[in-house]
Amino acid sequence: LQSAREIDSRSIILHESLGDSYFHLGNYPQALAAYTAAKDIGCASAVVLAKRGLCQIYCGNPHDGLRALQDALQAEPESPEILDLVTGGAVLAGNGQFAAAVACHRLDLPNVTADHYVLASTLLRATGDVERGRMVLSDGNAKFPLNQTISMESAHYRTTADQQSNPASMESKV
């Protein structure tokens, strides 16, 4: 791919491919440079914008990264791939509320899995919205009965409920 850059440095596909290669290698500064080059020569892909945002977050710039993720989401709000990238990026940037909201929206789209329900539930619980997290998990359990991942996450809710109903037992463990 590097030698292809010498042949056609104005190829959006080339820069996207370089960005993806660097991204998968964990070389986020190089990936960011490649995605930025693709954007600078006219790439309008929301996926590239989202991956660029992830690279910004990995490179220590969560503010700009989140802004790029929000722009990607605004461009393609019903794209499962964008929603998955944005959820992960929001978690990495430390914005649990945004991550939970996007993860919940993802549940309304095609190709949702039990893991999507667990992720949304976990994020809701982590941000303090325990009851809504429990409801999301219940919906996931109805759609994916006997799923082991959902069962494991359900155990967290039972533990949380036990601690809330019997705070004295928690104090004795401390």
Side-chain angles (χ1 to χ4, degrees):
L1 289 174
Q2 285 290 11
S3 59
R5 186 186 302 195
E6 295 169 11
I7 297 170
D8 186 7
S9 65
R10 304 286 304 159
S11 168
I12 291 172
I13 299 294
L14 169 67
H15 290 290
E16 286 181 44
S17 298
L18 279 171
D20 289 346
S21 295
Y22 287 127
F23 190 91
H24 291 291
L25 291 171
N27 187 339
Y28 302 112
Q30 286 293 106
L32 177 59
Y35 291 138
T36 299
K39 180 180 174 277
D40 289 349
I41 58 177
C43 178
S45 166
V47 172
V48 169
L49 185 57
K51 289 178 181 177
R52 186 171 172 271
L54 286 169
C55 289
Q56 289 172 310
I57 291 166
Y58 277 122
C59 290
N61 191 347
H63 179 73
D64 288 345
L66 278 171
R67 189 171 342 116
L69 292 171
Q70 290 167 337
D71 290 346
L73 185 58
Q74 185 174 7
E76 291 187 34
E78 302 301 313
S79 165
E81 183 178 11
I82 296 296
L83 291 167
D84 291 343
L85 290 168
V86 171
T87 299
V91 168
L92 289 171
N95 191 330
Q97 298 285 340
F98 181 46
V102 175
C104 287
H105 178 61
R106 173 68 175 92
L107 300 177
D108 298 329
L109 299 180
N111 302 318
V112 69
T113 67
D115 290 336
H116 287 106
Y117 281 93
V118 170
L119 176 61
S121 175
T122 301
L123 291 169
L124 288 164
R125 184 169 41 83
T127 58
D129 197 347
V130 175
E131 189 54 39
R132 186 161 172 234
R134 185 177 285 123
M135 290 184 332
V136 163
L137 200 59
S138 177
D139 291 346
N141 194 44
K143 190 167 185 173
F144 300 98
L146 305 174
N147 179 278
Q148 187 175 23
T149 308
I150 289 176
S151 296
M152 289 171 47
E153 179 64 12
S154 295
H156 290 290
Y157 284 96
R158 285 190 295 276
T159 302
T160 301
D162 291 345
Q163 291 169 355
Q164 289 174 348
S165 66
N166 191 0
S169 69
M170 189 62 182
E171 290 173 12
S172 66
K173 293 178 183 178
V174 177

